[in-house]
Amino acid sequence: MTRAFPEGFLWGCATAAHQVEGGNHNNDWWEFEQRGGIRTGDSSDPACNHYHRFAADFRLLRQLGQNAHRLSIEWSRVEPARGEFDLSQLRHYRDVLTELREQGLSAMVTLHHFTSPLWFTRRGGWAAAGSPAAWLPFVRRVAEELGHLVSFWCTLNEPLIYAYMGWLDGEFPPSRRGDWRGTFRVLANLRRAHEQAYRDLHKITPQVPVGIANHRWPLLPHNPTRRLDRLAARVGDRLMTSWPVGRGRLQRVVEAPSDFLGVNHYSRELVRFTLRRPGQGFVERSVPPGLPLSDFGWAVQPDWLREALLELKPLGKPVYITENGIASARDEPRQSFLCASLGKAWEAIQAGVDLRGYFHWTSVDNFEWARGYSMRFGLIGVDLETQERQVKPSAELYARIARANALPDE
Ligand code: FCB
């Protein structure tokens, strides 16, 4: 039986500005890099030099059968100082989006993907009062100037991961550890920011659906027969999927106002209750045993993607996989990962999930935040000396699937 996907299904890749562009010197990640925050000592400049190579990069994606692309607009370029918009950067992104359109790629645009301008972080970043109001003029300006070239808006990328990595775990700027108050403040502000952006975007670009690229990384009990592990997993999972809505109440991010659900899915983890780690919420995390691991050390089990999609079915909204991929220096694991994951996505569609698109993380091997260039998620390799692109077999495989809008027979 051919496993065909619905007509009009979107086949693309996802990227984030700071990870591919190069030359972003006015945001918190650059400052963090100068302070030695990148474990590998790598520099995000020039990354994949995509800022200058976007046209050739998009042409290649088009040749590889893709019909959509998820990218982010770098806030620190467009609004380098509060209230001052750089028209040349707005023109740059207009050129980027126009090129996508000319190549027949629908654009899904993320308005906050981990980086913030220095003027914003110096006033306290997302933990500070008034942060939503400081971000929204950027959102409105981008919508006014570029909205006609955009097919989907993602207001935020992975709000929970962002808050967790920056305020609890410390691997992301502002590198705070165990700062629970900060974490909740950040999440409350991101929630307000999203809700207002949702309303503003609807006014300015009523034809463009708005959503969030929300991660789904389930936490399960290390020992399912131990009550405290079960409790830790339940509480942890609830906390890692929700944000505060006032008066001590939590709302699942998937229940926030949105026209579609974006899901970023990579893996799962086990949690064990321990009195030794109060800063980390009294839990110790570990990798589910008995499964292959990616270069990141994340357990690989494509069936979890199907389960993540099925969880969204009761919400009755269109779903897009806004990120899914595997860190692997060798390409073979990526090829089997792609076939298996897309097979599971297809199964979820058969089970009634309104899945309308898949954005693989990622097109070109890029700057993986604090891990620098050590994690290769790309369908396309990049020679960091020459910036030459090398199409991997997984990219050709993805191209065959995208062109056929169906999976090869098993
Ligand atoms: C996600 C991020 C993305 C990339 C992948 C590997 O959490 O959204 O930028 O780092 O992980």
Side-chain angles (χ1 to χ4, degrees):
M1 182 179 67
T2 15
R3 289 172 295 163
F5 281 76
E7 213 184 294
F9 197 81
L10 296 184
W11 298 101
C13 285
T15 59
H18 192 72
Q19 294 181 267
V20 294
E21 284 183 351
N24 285 313
H25 293 186
N26 192 26
N27 68 27
D28 51 343
W29 269 89
W30 179 254
E31 189 185 62
F32 183 63
E33 180 178 322
Q34 304 315 299
R35 282 195 277 121
I38 311 304
R39 295 190 188 183
T40 51
D42 289 329
S43 173
S44 62
D45 193 13
C48 315
N49 198 14
H50 178 72
Y51 187 82
H52 295 109
R53 293 175 165 258
F54 67 87
D57 284 343
F58 294 158
R59 226 175 295 133
L60 184 54
L61 297 180
R62 173 62 173 178
Q63 283 159 13
L64 288 167
Q66 301 183 22
N67 60 12
H69 191 64
R70 176 172 172 237
L71 72 164
S72 74
I73 292 189
E74 177 60 31
W75 178 15
S76 66
R77 286 188 187 273
V78 171
E79 192 182 5
R82 187 167 192 178
E84 281 174 30
F85 289 89
D86 185 331
L87 299 184
S88 68
Q89 296 297 341
L90 280 164
R91 268 199 301 278
H92 169 79
Y93 286 108
R94 196 190 55 208
D95 293 346
V96 166
L97 295 170
T98 305
E99 184 63 33
L100 278 177
R101 175 151 295 189
E102 279 170 9
Q103 296 300 328
L105 298 156
S106 302
M108 179 179 276
V109 171
T110 311
L111 293 161
H112 190 271
H113 196 134
F114 294 171
T115 53
S116 304
L118 288 174
W119 65 261
F120 177 80
T121 51
R122 288 191 181 136
R123 72 179 289 292
W126 285 105
S131 47
W135 177 62
L136 288 157
F138 160 73
V139 170
R140 289 191 286 262
R141 187 65 183 256
V142 166
E144 280 154 10
E145 308 254 347
L146 309 173
H148 61 293
L149 297 165
V150 173
S151 301
F152 303 89
W153 297 114
C154 278
T155 53
L156 306 171
N157 182 67
E158 300 187 347
L160 268 301
I161 295 291
Y162 174 76
Y164 175 87
M165 295 297 271
W167 278 262
L168 284 182
D169 175 89
E171 184 172 320
F172 284 11
S175 29
R176 304 189 61 92
R177 281 171 189 272
D179 181 356
W180 287 85
R181 271 177 61 127
T183 304
F184 282 113
R185 258 193 253 127
V186 168
L187 288 170
N189 283 327
L190 288 173
R191 197 259 309 160
R192 290 186 195 104
H194 165 75
E195 286 179 2
Q196 190 58 47
Y198 180 80
R199 287 191 287 268
D200 290 352
L201 290 168
H202 270 216
K203 264 186 225 131
I204 303 167
T205 53
Q207 74 287 1
V208 184
V210 183
I212 297 174
N214 189 28
H215 86 295
R216 185 61 183 122
W217 182 291
L219 300 176
L220 294 134
H222 176 86
N223 177 352
T225 64
R226 193 169 169 241
R227 219 164 56 91
L228 284 172
D229 283 6
R230 288 203 305 273
L231 183 68
R234 219 179 31 247
V235 173
D237 201 65
R238 176 77 209 207
L239 289 176
M240 282 305 285
T241 47
S242 312
W243 51 17
V245 281
R247 279 181 263 114
R249 283 178 312 125
L250 292 175
Q251 175 194 56
R252 286 193 201 277
V253 175
V254 290
E255 285 161 4
S258 71
D259 306 312
F260 67 90
L261 301 166
V263 54
N264 292 4
H265 174 73
Y266 292 93
S267 192
R268 286 185 179 180
E269 264 172 334
L270 304 181
V271 292
R272 168 206 282 284
F273 179 81
T274 166
L275 286 171
R276 272 180 293 126
R277 294 165 59 89
Q280 297 297 311
F282 298 103
V283 296
E284 215 162 57
R285 297 180 296 148
S286 62
V287 175
L291 291 165
L293 302 183
S294 75
D295 291 356
F296 228 127
W298 299 347
V300 179
Q301 169 50 279
D303 197 47
W304 293 339
L305 177 64
R306 187 181 60 85
E307 293 184 19
L309 293 169
L310 283 174
E311 277 179 11
L312 302 177
K313 188 178 154 187
L315 294 159
K317 288 185 186 176
V319 177
Y320 293 87
I321 296 168
T322 36
E323 285 182 28
N324 174 242
I326 180 172
S328 178
R330 294 190 311 120
D331 195 50
E332 292 78 24
R334 190 172 358 266
Q335 295 164 45
S336 10
F337 175 88
L338 255 181
C339 283
S341 301
L342 291 171
K344 294 300 172 182
W346 182 83
E347 285 177 26
I349 297 173
Q350 306 317 300
V353 178
D354 185 9
L355 180 68
R356 300 191 184 181
Y358 176 86
F359 292 87
H360 188 74
W361 185 272
T362 180
S363 45
V364 280
D365 280 335
N366 62 38
F367 181 76
E368 181 48 41
W369 307 113
R371 311 301 174 106
Y373 300 102
S374 64
M375 295 300 152
R376 312 232 172 115
F377 280 93
L379 298 175
I380 300 166
V382 175
D383 180 325
L384 291 172
E385 299 289 310
T386 63
Q387 288 292 341
E388 204 182 302
R389 275 41 174 169
Q390 299 137 351
V391 173
K392 302 179 192 178
S394 54
E396 307 278 8
L397 169 68
Y398 191 51
R400 285 196 294 280
I401 296 169
R403 284 195 199 103
N405 199 34
L407 287 168
D409 289 334
E410 275 164 307

